[in-house]
Amino acid sequence: MNNPVIFCDFDGTVTEKDNIIAIMNRFAPEGWEELKEGVLNRSISIREGVGKMFSLLPVSLKEEIIEFALDHARIRSGFQEFLDFTKEEGIPVYIVSGGIDFFLEPIINKFGPFAGVYCNGSDFSQTTIKIEWPNSCDDQCSNDCGCCKPSIMRKLVQSDTYKIVIGDSVTDLEAAKQADYVFARDYLKIKCEEWAIPHTPFETFYDCIEALKTKTGVRG
Ligand code: MG
Ligand code: ZN
């Protein structure tokens, strides 16, 4: 395992549940469920669905949404211990998330260190929340991801990088296909089995530490 780098999803991976869904459930702007259905049945892209969902919320809700996210985001156990372990081992950890900066950063800032945090942006200068997309797809991806995980990986790795992806959902699948190794739970685990992508199932970050210890041990 030369030059390992970890790309870790946020929603449903670092946190136990999806924060965008939790926020939408809580603030329930009219029309958001149709958008969610559209994303799930792939009639609209993630970028379009998430952008339109947030455009249903007035900017005045900003602080309330942050407070709600901080109160309700449950962190999967072992996360900080996992970061301590990877730091000791000299393995950089990037957070790569389809979440939005204004509620993701207050949650993630309590943990670390990270080599970088990639997510979507937000603009509160108008009447409703506008999502910005600083990490959109490169010319090798046409999924209109919003936050394009495979594109970010292509940007950050070198030819000898051993790419480890940690994730849970459909938005991690393209990244997992590019990875050398995957830690998967939930939907991503099923997809890894289907695609015969080498992976270890996990429920807590202690599982990831144990699996990494085995791998680094093999390296000697
Ligand atoms: Mg996820
Ligand atoms: Zn993409």
Side-chain angles (χ1 to χ4, degrees), residues 71-82:
D71 282 355
H72 286 79
R74 291 203 27 208
I75 303 296
R76 190 170 299 282
S77 71
F79 183 53
Q80 184 56 55
E81 289 82 355
F82 173 74

Side-chain angles (χ1 to χ4, degrees), residues 167-168 184-194 199-203:
D168 72 306
R185 54 176 301 278
D186 205 38
Y187 178 89
L188 185 65
K189 184 174 79 175
I190 296 162
K191 283 289 154 185
C192 283
E193 284 160 9
E194 250 177 67
H199 69 284
T200 296
F202 77 100
E203 274 311 317

